[in-house]
Amino acid sequence: MITLKGISKSFGLNRVLDQINLNVNKSEVVVILGPSGSGKSTLLRCATFLEEPDEGMIRMGDYEIQAGGKTTKQRKDQIRLLRQHTGFVFQQFNLFPHKTALQNVMEGLITIKKMPLVEAKRLAEGLLEKVGLAEKGDHYPSRLSGGQQQRVGIARALAMEPLVMLYDEPTSALDPELVREVLTVMKDLAREGMTMVVVTHEMGFAREVADRVIFMDGGKIIEQGKPEEIFTMPKEERTRKFLSIIE
Ligand code: ADP
Ligand code: MG
């Protein structure tokens, strides 16, 4: 479903990603762990060309883009299509504050998918119901809890029928009592077969839901495996150290 090949990225002299190779299969849930500054967010951003990689190739479904290509119209179209087929959920919820929950979910359906209003509304209502917010459609983000806002963010991403969902620390900005409701929605999606890449420090989620756990440090994939392998018998010293601090 996703292939990243030889992805490298530097900011000035700081080499943040160093030849990252990653394949994610359909319906696979990959959790990425790693210390702050190890390049996790940059990797997700590069995967959607929110950040242009210096080198490498990204394939998502049928869309394949080489890093460092000339900015032709065709390339721009490919990047736009790749992004449209990717659901991105950020730590900060990034909802439109002047739109209701329902309007936030409808936005992409109307502006990007050019869906008729009635149809967009029906679909958006269904998605809000799916994330447990059927009752909150007419609420503005300021009247929703962080957990509810993040669930609206997930519903909004799902509206675009993404091939894959990317999550960058989706629960890190939440009060502890609100973390679970977001993880539960993510778990349900995983169970339904959604392909997901999740950067998180929620080890319980990683153990329970991940098919594969990847440990990153210094812009490299240091180690990867099934959760039970990584958590109970990590091979690399750096992984061991990280897990002993975080758990
Ligand atoms: P993580 O998500 O694992 O904490 P990041 O991908 O955010 O790590 O950052 C990796 C490194 O890249 C850090 O040293 C960070 O300071 C640097 N970095 C990230 N984005 C930028 C940017 N836009 N400009 C300069 N440096 C950046
Ligand atoms: Mg980050």
Side-chain angles (χ1 to χ4, degrees):
M1 188 59 78
I2 316 177
T3 301
L4 308 184
K5 212 165 154 189
I7 297 295
S8 296
K9 176 72 183 174
S10 298
F11 293 109
L13 292 176
N14 186 7
R15 194 167 169 88
V16 173
L17 296 177
D18 189 3
Q19 289 288 324
I20 299 279
N21 294 305
L22 176 62
N23 278 303
V24 181
N25 298 318
K26 190 164 164 39
S27 297
E28 194 179 13
V29 178
V30 173
V31 166
I32 302 182
L33 308 176
S36 177
S38 57
K40 306 179 299 294
S41 295
T42 305
L43 182 63
L44 294 189
R45 294 173 59 79
C46 279
T48 46
F49 283 80
L50 289 171
E51 203 77 72
E52 172 85 34
D54 299 329
E55 293 168 32
M57 182 276 284
I58 289 157
R59 190 184 312 126
M60 182 120 25
D62 292 336
Y63 309 104
E64 178 176 324
I65 305 166
Q66 293 284 339
K70 283 206 204 90
T71 46
T72 57
K73 173 161 188 315
Q74 192 198 358
R75 183 168 196 272
K76 273 195 194 148
D77 286 346
Q78 284 289 102
I79 290 176
R80 187 172 49 78
L81 286 167
L82 179 141
R83 247 180 237 155
Q84 270 179 32
H85 289 86
T86 311
F88 211 133
V89 178
F90 302 90
Q91 180 176 345
Q92 298 305 334
F93 323 120
N94 292 333
L95 298 179
F96 296 114
H98 58 287
K99 288 185 190 291
T100 64
L102 189 69
Q103 288 167 341
N104 266 282
V105 180
M106 287 169 67
E107 175 69 15
L109 293 173
I110 291 165
T111 59
I112 298 171
K113 290 207 165 182
K114 314 286 184 205
M115 195 178 271
L117 208 64
V118 180
E119 203 180 320
K121 185 158 179 274
R122 196 179 322 124
L123 213 153
E125 282 169 348
L127 287 165
L128 282 179
E129 190 178 342
K130 189 180 175 71
V131 299
L133 293 173
E135 255 59 300
K136 305 285 182 188
D138 59 349
H139 287 215
Y140 286 89
S142 58
R143 286 196 48 212
L144 299 173
S145 73
Q148 291 169 338
Q149 289 183 58
Q150 192 59 299
R151 285 186 282 149
V152 174
I154 292 172
R156 180 180 58 179
L158 290 174
M160 301 306 289
E161 297 182 280
L163 294 172
V164 50
M165 290 282 285
L166 307 178
Y167 299 86
D168 193 359
E169 301 200 31
T171 59
S172 295
L174 298 178
D175 292 333
E177 73 272 21
L178 302 178
V179 167
R180 190 207 296 243
E181 66 190 48
V182 173
L183 293 180
T184 301
V185 166
M186 292 168 62
K187 237 179 264 179
D188 290 346
L189 287 173
R191 235 176 258 131
E192 290 169 18
M194 178 61 80
T195 310
M196 318 213 296
V197 180
V198 187
V199 173
T200 185
H201 298 297
E202 292 293 331
M203 296 300 146
F205 178 85
R207 279 177 192 276
E208 193 184 331
V209 185
D211 297 303
R212 179 159 41 126
V213 173
I214 289 179
F215 175 69
M216 272 182 77
D217 197 10
K220 289 192 165 87
I221 292 177
I222 303 297
E223 175 164 13
Q224 55 182 308
K226 290 193 170 38
E228 56 270 28
E229 292 164 2
I230 298 290
F231 288 119
T232 56
M233 40 182 175
K235 292 190 191 78
E236 302 291 332
E237 181 56 32
R238 272 195 271 182
T239 316
R240 229 169 285 151
K241 218 177 222 163
F242 175 78
L243 292 174
S244 72
I245 293 166
I246 200 146
E247 283 205 285

